[in-house]
Amino acid sequence: MQLSEHFSLEELTHTDHRQYDNTPTDKELANLVRLAEFLEVVKVVLGGKPIMINSAFRSKQVNDAVGSKDSSQHRTGCAADIRVPGITPDEVVKAIIASDLDYDQVIREFAKPQGGGWVHISIPLEGAKPRKTALIIDKTGTRAYA
């Protein structure tokens, strides 16, 4: 099922933990549709480059299996961890911060000088104001993006 031009439900619910059901509720599906539409705008901001989804929606069981907190925005269908071929996580974060996008959080996660890592991007729950929080998470902890 296509949620937007470039993003499918299958892509936004994919998990390597296939022993667990990762089917969103109607409310979570509505959030995934909003997330997919938001990712289309992120794609434009990034010059049309492909966006690869590492993880988006996570059911409680999948979220527990990956060791994430229950408060994760992945649980509601409002977050995606992405990689963009040919663009570093830092470049992605800087482009999103410089844009006028109403993101809730953008987080550079586990990027290293030699490459790797990803960007967590999220939208607020329906009707909530975007916080526009920018962070770095790595082996030393969590801190503001500078």
Side-chain angles (χ1 to χ4, degrees):
M1 166 189 215
Q2 281 300 119
L3 301 179
S4 69
E5 182 180 355
H6 296 101
F7 301 99
S8 68
L9 179 60
E10 180 181 6
E11 184 177 22
L12 295 180
T13 58
H14 173 79
T15 179
D16 291 337
H17 298 279
R18 294 177 189 188
Q19 70 271 32
Y20 302 121
D21 182 24
N22 202 40
T23 305
T25 65
D26 289 345
K27 186 174 181 179
E28 293 159 346
L29 179 58
N31 286 336
L32 285 170
V33 170
R34 289 188 317 108
L35 179 64
E37 292 168 353
F38 179 78
L39 290 171
E40 295 290 352
V41 180
V42 171
K43 183 176 176 63
V44 171
V45 166
L46 299 175
K49 297 229 185 251
I51 293 176
M52 313 302 290
I53 308 294
N54 290 351
S55 178
F57 174 74
R58 297 184 198 140
S59 67
K60 168 99 170 103
Q61 288 180 311
V62 170
N63 202 58
D64 289 349
V66 300
S68 189
K69 297 177 182 176
D70 280 339
S71 60
S72 169
Q73 290 176 301
H74 290 277
R75 289 280 298 111
T76 62
C78 288
D81 294 338
I82 65 171
R83 291 174 292 109
V84 182
I87 303 178
T88 68
D90 268 322
E91 291 168 325
V92 171
V93 170
K94 287 175 183 175
I96 291 167
I97 291 170
S99 75
D100 63 352
L101 293 177
D102 283 334
Y103 64 91
D104 195 56
Q105 289 186 314
V106 62
I107 307 171
R108 188 193 79 194
E109 297 190 18
F110 300 99
K112 299 174 183 148
Q114 66 273 23
W118 60 89
V119 174
H120 168 100
I121 182 127
S122 66
I123 56 174
L125 288 170
E126 185 73 40
K129 184 177 176 182
R131 295 177 290 175
K132 291 199 169 192
T133 302
L135 301 169
I136 295 171
I137 296 177
D138 58 23
K139 66 179 181 178
T140 64
T142 303
R143 60 193 176 280
Y145 189 90

